[in-house]
Amino acid sequence: MHSKDQISHDEYQKTADWLMSQTKHRPQVAIICGSGLGMLADTLKCQDSFAYSDIPGFPQSTVQGHAGRLVFGELKGKTCVCMQGRFHMYEGHSLLKTTFPVRVFKLLGVETLIVTNAAGSLADGLQPGDIMIIKDHVNFPGLVGLNPLCGPNDDKFGPRFPAMSGCYDKNLRCQAMEIAKQLGVAGLMQEGVYAMVGGPNFETIAEARLLHRLGVDAVGMSTAPEVVVATHCGLRVFGLSLITNKVVKSYEDSV
Ligand SMILES: O=P(O)(O)O[C@@H]1C[C@H](O)[C@@H](CO)O1
């Protein structure tokens, strides 16, 4: 990593200070809305919203279906901040830029990060329209050193070698399943393992078979770097994948 790619603590703090000067909301929960899930932010009450282009230091979203707005407000009695649109490695952002908002959330006083994404299913039991509660992830870019924590460690955020076992909070996963049962939608939900690939191309059949054999249930191109950075700085994490497609695993099914 080049030193020009580094982001100083002051830069995160400046963005957090600017946001706190613009809104009275002090969120406990941050929600990153994946592709097609941005409408959740529209349901917040007493909204204050900011275009990413107006927020000092914030990266810009280039993906269709991502509005590029940070929305503060109340959701079921909790003060939240929602990202309508996230940053992906395949857009050309450095991993520190893709995860920039997570550290800003920490400085705003957020305690819990909810990550959502669109993902392709590799598991027989996960159909398009189902929701997977993420119980763990395989961070393929991270395994080969494409990790936002590479480079000098910022001790003010967390330790040099943070543990990632249990990074998806067990209590939150259990609560989500209980609530799904109460709402009568448990049949659409199950826990599973998400894998992040770099993208932007979708998987070859050989790659899909490899992921399946490795125990991956759903695959996408985001989320893992945000969760790594959130866990590093002590945020509690809950994650959901909205299954948008079945990944093609058979040469007979390919077009
Ligand atoms: O932000 P997310 O992860 O929902 O973005 C979607 C899913 C894949 O990462 C990528 C291609 O579909 O866009």
Side-chain angles (χ1 to χ4, degrees):
M1 176 178 296
H2 301 291
S3 55
K4 68 177 172 49
D5 295 330
Q6 286 301 310
I7 300 175
S8 69
H9 204 88
D10 275 1
E11 288 174 85
Y12 295 109
Q13 191 67 60
K14 268 188 197 147
T15 302
D17 289 346
W18 184 86
L19 287 166
M20 285 192 281
S21 73
Q22 302 293 313
T23 177
K24 292 210 162 34
H25 291 298
R26 294 292 176 264
Q28 305 146 276
V29 179
I31 305 171
I32 302 180
C33 302
S35 293
L37 295 160
M39 74 287 265
L40 174 67
D42 298 329
T43 67
L44 297 193
K45 304 259 186 317
C46 311
Q47 285 188 19
D48 280 332
S49 79
F50 306 94
Y52 292 163
S53 53
D54 292 334
I55 306 174
F58 229 70
Q60 306 303 312
S61 178
T62 66
V63 181
Q64 273 189 357
H66 288 239
R69 277 191 328 149
L70 197 59
V71 184
F72 291 78
E74 304 289 326
L75 184 64
K76 307 264 179 203
K78 292 260 183 225
T79 306
C80 299
V81 54
C82 283
M83 283 180 72
Q84 271 185 326
R86 63 148 58 81
F87 310 110
H88 303 85
M89 196 174 87
Y90 63 76
E91 294 174 71
H93 296 295
S94 73
L95 285 167
L96 270 180
K97 280 273 179 194
T98 68
T99 56
F100 181 87
V102 175
R103 286 182 164 175
V104 171
F105 295 153
K106 174 74 182 178
L107 296 174
L108 291 177
V110 164
E111 290 164 2
T112 303
L113 176 69
I114 300 179
V115 284
T116 67
N117 57 54
S121 160
L122 292 148
D124 294 337
L126 273 174
Q127 306 304 329
D130 286 356
I131 292 172
M132 186 183 85
I133 299 173
I134 306 176
K135 98 173 153 203
D136 203 352
H137 73 220
V138 182
N139 179 7
F140 278 102
L143 291 179
V144 295
L146 288 170
N147 187 316
L149 300 181
C150 284
N153 185 55
D154 187 339
D155 297 333
K156 288 189 193 145
F157 282 117
R160 169 77 290 186
F161 300 110
M164 286 294 141
S165 49
C167 57
Y168 294 89
D169 188 89
K170 196 170 179 183
N171 284 334
L172 291 178
R173 289 191 276 123
C174 291
Q175 275 183 45
M177 214 23 139
E178 275 312 307
I179 292 166
K181 282 182 194 152
Q182 287 162 21
L183 295 174
V185 294
L188 297 176
M189 296 185 70
Q190 60 180 274
E191 286 199 337
V193 173
Y194 173 87
M196 179 199 178
V197 293
N201 62 282
F202 291 110
E203 296 66 41
T204 64
I205 291 168
E207 287 164 350
R209 288 180 172 188
L210 173 76
L211 292 171
H212 184 54
R213 285 194 180 186
L214 289 176
V216 171
D217 299 301
V219 57
M221 304 171 194
S222 69
T223 303
E226 295 151 357
V227 172
V228 164
V229 167
T231 303
H232 176 249
C233 67
L235 295 181
R236 202 159 67 132
V237 175
F238 176 70
L240 292 174
S241 291
L242 173 61
I243 303 301
T244 50
N245 59 288
K246 296 283 282 184
V247 180
V248 180
K249 295 199 297 270
S250 142
Y251 289 99
E252 286 71 51
D253 294 340
S254 67
V255 279

